[in-house]
Amino acid sequence: MTVVNLNKARKAKVKADEKAQADANAAKFGRTKAQKDLDRAQAEKAARDLDGNKR
């Protein structure tokens, strides 16, 4: 028979639940840095092209 510290078990369960939620959010909303950089670069190019056409 092993002795289980209920406080540590409770904290471990909470930590595991939070990790699972974080993984789910990363899969749902997460994008890689490369994807973010590409979107930023495309937006900057579009803004430059628009400014260039105004003149």
Side-chain angles (χ1 to χ4, degrees):
M1 179 176 191
T2 61
V3 177
V4 176
N5 184 334
L6 296 178
N7 195 33
K8 286 187 179 182
R10 178 185 54 83
K11 287 182 179 183
K13 182 183 182 317
V14 168
K15 188 173 183 178
D17 291 344
E18 288 174 352
K19 174 92 169 97
Q21 183 64 45
D23 291 341
N25 285 344
K28 189 174 181 182
F29 299 108
R31 295 185 335 196
T32 64
K33 184 173 182 175
Q35 290 170 329
K36 291 177 189 176
D37 289 342
L38 178 62
D39 289 345
R40 189 176 305 112
Q42 288 174 339
E44 289 172 359
K45 181 178 181 340
R48 281 195 314 271
D49 290 348
L50 183 62
D51 289 341
N53 289 335
K54 285 183 180 178
R55 295 179 187 162

